[in-house]
Amino acid sequence: MRFSGTESYVATPDLTAAVNAAVVLERPLLVKGEPGTGKTVLAEEIAKELGAPLIVWNIKSTTKAQQGLYEYDAVSRLRDSQLGDPRVSDIANYIRRGKLWEAFTAPERPVLLIDEIDKADIEFPNDLLTELDRMEFHVYETGETVKAVRRPIMIITSNNEKELPDAFLRRCFFHYIKFPDAETLQRIVDVHYPGIKHRLVEEALRTFLAMREVPGLKKKPSTSELLDWLKLLVSEDIAPETLREHDGRKLIPPLHGALLKNEQDVSLFEKLAFMMRREQRGG
């Protein structure tokens, strides 16, 4: 089982090497990188290429590690007991399986995505250490031990919002997805929009990369936002020449709402446009 990228996902050689190393070592692959660089989609594409089922555990700020194992619904059991429901005699009826349980008992070796682990409390990764090492856990309410039939291929993503514990990092194979260079961006665009006008893509990439280099941006536009922007440019039949104009009025590109996602960054470009117009009048 080796991953080499798919027709719909451009994977760089260092990324494919990281995926395959994690599979061989049977360790979770911890993937970091800017939002929008394809971390979440990576797990979907690995599952697609390997023909494996995909199990997704989306992490929120309130998520606890125990939820990935199982949850005991004591409230429902109490309610059913008051109603005389015969199911209350078997506590197993009130055990809700989590994503790890699902992955451990899957009939085929699955790909398990733990998405945006850094959203959770700092103790969340530490609380999973034993389960990640032993690939088993105990269900106290029923007395059973759930063991993994086979180690799932685990992809864990992080947007680097907080540092992860050293003990957790030691158990992972790490890879940082660098922001794509111009050549890789061109390949990504070709995959998603085959046949798109070359001149439009050329000017759009030039504008996009220049915007990312503007000092003071609160949020740099991402790869996924570039693809959205290109879709809009094609839909609105924007000419490449429109993107090439550099006077103050055109500093902010058309349909910039696909790229700039907060008022501070829009204001920054408006100020730069104002300064450029003033310099042009002074000249």
Side-chain angles (χ1 to χ4, degrees):
M1 298 174 68
R2 292 190 63 83
F3 176 70
S4 58
T6 66
E7 292 182 357
S8 58
Y9 188 89
V10 176
T12 56
D14 57 338
L15 176 56
T16 58
V19 171
N20 292 317
V23 172
V24 170
L25 293 173
E26 295 189 322
R27 289 186 177 274
L29 175 62
L30 174 61
V31 184
K32 291 187 178 183
E34 290 183 31
T37 50
K39 300 186 298 298
T40 299
V41 178
L42 172 63
E44 299 172 1
E45 296 300 321
I46 293 172
K48 183 188 301 183
E49 179 166 355
L50 301 183
L54 175 65
I55 299 171
V56 180
W57 186 10
N58 293 306
I59 306 303
K60 302 177 182 179
S61 60
T62 56
T63 303
K64 302 299 180 184
Q66 179 64 33
Q67 294 171 308
L69 307 179
Y70 70 92
E71 293 183 276
Y72 168 48
D73 191 351
V75 174
S76 292
R77 192 180 188 206
L78 175 61
R79 182 195 62 222
D80 289 348
S81 67
Q82 293 171 339
L83 296 174
D85 193 320
R87 294 192 311 153
V88 299
S89 61
D90 186 357
I91 197 171
N93 290 323
Y94 302 92
I95 300 295
R96 307 289 182 250
R97 297 185 177 192
K99 296 298 183 179
L100 280 176
W101 188 330
E102 185 180 341
F104 284 3
T105 57
E108 302 177 56
R109 188 185 189 188
V111 174
L112 172 63
L113 170 63
I114 303 178
D115 201 23
E116 299 189 331
I117 193 172
D118 51 329
K119 280 187 175 180
D121 184 85
I122 189 62
E123 291 304 319
F124 178 88
N126 281 333
D127 292 341
L128 288 176
L129 292 181
T130 301
E131 287 73 23
L132 293 182
D133 274 345
R134 298 181 181 177
M135 284 286 137
E136 66 177 47
F137 61 90
H138 186 69
V139 183
Y140 295 99
E141 290 78 3
T142 63
E144 65 181 307
T145 297
V146 178
K147 295 184 178 182
V149 177
R150 57 190 62 79
R151 280 183 174 266
I153 299 170
M154 297 181 64
I155 310 298
I156 302 174
T157 71
S158 168
N159 287 327
N160 238 1
E161 292 183 6
K162 63 169 69 80
E163 291 295 323
L164 299 173
D166 289 345
F168 178 79
L169 295 175
R170 284 197 299 270
R171 288 161 170 82
C172 299
F173 191 93
F174 172 77
H175 182 74
Y176 185 87
I177 297 182
K178 299 177 182 177
F179 192 83
D181 57 21
E183 180 181 348
T184 304
L185 283 174
Q186 178 70 63
R187 290 170 57 202
I188 292 172
V189 171
D190 290 342
V191 164
H192 287 271
Y193 303 123
I196 191 173
K197 296 177 181 177
H198 176 73
R199 287 181 57 226
L200 177 63
V201 174
E202 184 178 42
E203 291 300 330
L205 287 179
R206 179 194 58 75
T207 301
F208 172 78
L209 291 171
M211 291 179 69
R212 283 183 52 86
E213 294 301 318
V214 171
L217 271 184
K218 183 176 180 180
K219 181 195 175 303
K220 294 182 179 182
S222 68
T223 307
S224 60
E225 289 160 347
L226 167 65
L227 295 174
D228 287 345
W229 186 48
L230 279 169
K231 183 176 181 179
L232 290 173
L233 293 178
V234 172
S235 175
E236 297 297 323
D237 197 24
I238 301 297
E241 293 76 18
T242 303
L243 302 179
R244 196 181 306 131
E245 297 176 8
H246 292 289
D247 65 84
R249 292 184 302 275
K250 300 293 184 180
L251 185 62
I252 302 181
L255 303 167
H256 63 269
L259 301 173
L260 302 176
K261 296 302 178 70
N262 59 73
E263 62 275 16
Q264 294 95 322
D265 289 344
V266 173
S267 177
L268 174 62
F269 273 86
E270 289 174 343
K271 289 177 182 177
L272 291 173
F274 173 76
M275 293 170 61
M276 183 179 291
R277 289 195 297 270
R278 188 168 62 180
E279 289 177 2
Q280 289 173 347
R281 286 197 298 268

